């Protein structure tokens, strides 16, 4: 039985690594979503921004928001709030 990861399973795993303060792992997973030709959604985007926020990686959080349009994702208020929090902490 071959299981295939989808964007939901990636977002869930990214959330877990964010809680463990492994922001770089979360960003690597977001890149893997793209490499597998899965569509990044607002939840995946927000999870990546939140991972950066938890670890005070404001520059990465802002870069993710800047890439949102290219990714075809409209960031939510939660995404913007997490990025602002990262900037405030950083």
């Amino acid at each position: 039985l071959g299981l295939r990861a989808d964007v939901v399973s990636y977002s869930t795993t990214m959330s877990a690594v964010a809680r463990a303060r492994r922001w770089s792992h979360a960003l690597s997973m977001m890149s893997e979503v793209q490499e597998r030709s899965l569509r990044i959604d607002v939840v995946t985007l927000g999870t990546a921004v939140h991972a950066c926020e938890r670890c005070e990686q404001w520059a990465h959080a802002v870069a993710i928001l800047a890439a949102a349009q290219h990714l075809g994702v409209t960031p939510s208020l939660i995404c913007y709030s997490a990025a602002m929090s990262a900037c405030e902490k950083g």
Side-chain angles (χ1 to χ4, degrees), residues 23-34:
W23 65 273
S24 62
H25 288 68
L27 298 189
S28 293
M29 293 182 81
M30 191 168 98
S31 294
E32 193 172 320
V33 168
Q34 291 178 281

Side-chain angles (χ1 to χ4, degrees), residues 3-58:
L3 299 176
R4 289 181 55 188
D6 61 6
V7 73
V8 174
S9 58
Y10 273 101
S11 293
T12 303
T13 306
M14 287 170 63
S15 182
V17 298
R19 284 191 302 276
R21 298 190 178 273
R22 303 287 188 194
W23 65 273
S24 62
H25 288 68
L27 298 189
S28 293
M29 293 182 81
M30 191 168 98
S31 294
E32 193 172 320
V33 168
Q34 291 178 281
E35 290 168 9
R36 291 179 174 249
S37 298
L38 298 172
R39 184 169 168 82
I40 290 176
D41 62 11
V42 70
V43 174
T44 308
L45 187 84
T47 302
V49 173
H50 177 69
C52 295
E53 182 263 336
R54 285 188 57 95
C55 297
E56 302 176 11
Q57 297 295 319
W58 67 270

